[in-house]
Amino acid sequence: MKISPLFCLCALMLSSCTQTMYQEMQRERDTLREKYEDTRRKETFKRSRNFFAGALLGQWEFLELVIEEKNMSEDILKAKAARAASKLKGIRLRFWESGGTYHYRVENLIRNASGTYTTWSVSQRDDPQTGSLRLYPGSGLHISDMIFGFARGVHKQVLLGDREVLTTRIATKVMEISVKDMRIDLALDLGMVLTPKGWLRRGNIRCSFQKVE
């Protein structure tokens, strides 16, 4: 049976069109899938962040500032923490939400600090709720400088992947935070130190506030 050249040409054109349509549909499906995954990731992050930020809403009054040492003595920092605590007595933190943005203000100080803040989850445990807090001051002093300023310049050591020991300074801008019942704890990790006995964890500086409104 003889097949005409015209029929072969039509068959090739139909096959090419079908393949092109399939590739276009596949690209559209991939694009929609990528958009869906991107939206899902953003919503998951937003829910996690907003959930934790909402837990801070209200007013909190300073309770205590302590050095929680682990495997080594921190007598010098303890003395500095005691002096800092005497200056923090009576201060309050106020957190509120407006227009989808979270705000904070430090009250009962000569120089108030205010601005916006963000939080993100570190642990999914609800008891206590734990995460990280970063403040973006719009005026006055940065709250982390007021609370943890006495630790500025303190060194900590980090073990790199190639077994190299990096000596760096403790960062005060990002604080670990936990919320439980009527109390929030802001913590600054003191890191680790390499001793003849190996790596020892130094502990942290904890500043606690109790809810008053």
Side-chain angles (χ1 to χ4, degrees), residues 170-184:
I170 295 175
T172 62
K173 300 303 182 184
V174 178
M175 298 167 282
E176 296 177 1
I177 184 171
S178 64
V179 183
K180 186 176 182 181
D181 299 328
M182 305 293 287
R183 170 171 166 158
I184 58 175

Side-chain angles (χ1 to χ4, degrees), residues 158-197:
V158 180
L159 179 62
L160 302 180
D162 56 1
R163 297 184 178 275
E164 180 183 355
V165 177
L166 173 66
T167 299
T168 183
R169 294 182 179 181
I170 295 175
T172 62
K173 300 303 182 184
V174 178
M175 298 167 282
E176 296 177 1
I177 184 171
S178 64
V179 183
K180 186 176 182 181
D181 299 328
M182 305 293 287
R183 170 171 166 158
I184 58 175
D185 293 327
L186 302 179
L188 193 66
D189 188 1
L190 293 174
M192 303 183 73
V193 62
L194 183 59
T195 72
K197 296 182 180 180

Side-chain angles (χ1 to χ4, degrees), residues 129-155:
Q129 299 171 20
T130 61
S132 293
L133 170 68
R134 187 179 184 95
L135 304 171
Y136 300 87
S139 63
L141 297 173
H142 197 296
I143 184 176
S144 61
D145 292 331
M146 291 186 291
I147 296 176
F148 302 117
F150 66 91
R152 191 183 298 109
V154 174
H155 290 82

Side-chain angles (χ1 to χ4, degrees), residues 69-174:
E69 61 186 17
K70 293 293 184 181
N71 298 309
M72 58 182 298
S73 175
E74 297 287 353
D75 292 337
I76 296 178
L77 277 179
K78 285 181 180 178
K80 291 183 177 181
R83 290 195 295 270
S86 66
K87 300 178 182 178
L88 294 174
K89 289 181 179 179
I91 75 165
R92 289 188 177 186
L93 304 181
R94 182 189 172 206
F95 298 97
W96 74 96
E97 185 270 337
S98 177
T101 300
Y102 290 93
H103 302 263
Y104 78 93
R105 181 167 65 239
V106 181
E107 300 176 341
N108 297 342
L109 277 179
I110 296 177
R111 293 182 62 188
N112 287 338
S114 61
T116 60
Y117 69 96
T118 60
T119 63
W120 59 94
S121 177
V122 173
S123 171
Q124 297 300 323
R125 295 175 300 159
D126 293 332
D127 189 15
Q129 299 171 20
T130 61
S132 293
L133 170 68
R134 187 179 184 95
L135 304 171
Y136 300 87
S139 63
L141 297 173
H142 197 296
I143 184 176
S144 61
D145 292 331
M146 291 186 291
I147 296 176
F148 302 117
F150 66 91
R152 191 183 298 109
V154 174
H155 290 82
K156 68 176 181 179
Q157 294 175 311
V158 180
L159 179 62
L160 302 180
D162 56 1
R163 297 184 178 275
E164 180 183 355
V165 177
L166 173 66
T167 299
T168 183
R169 294 182 179 181
I170 295 175
T172 62
K173 300 303 182 184
V174 178

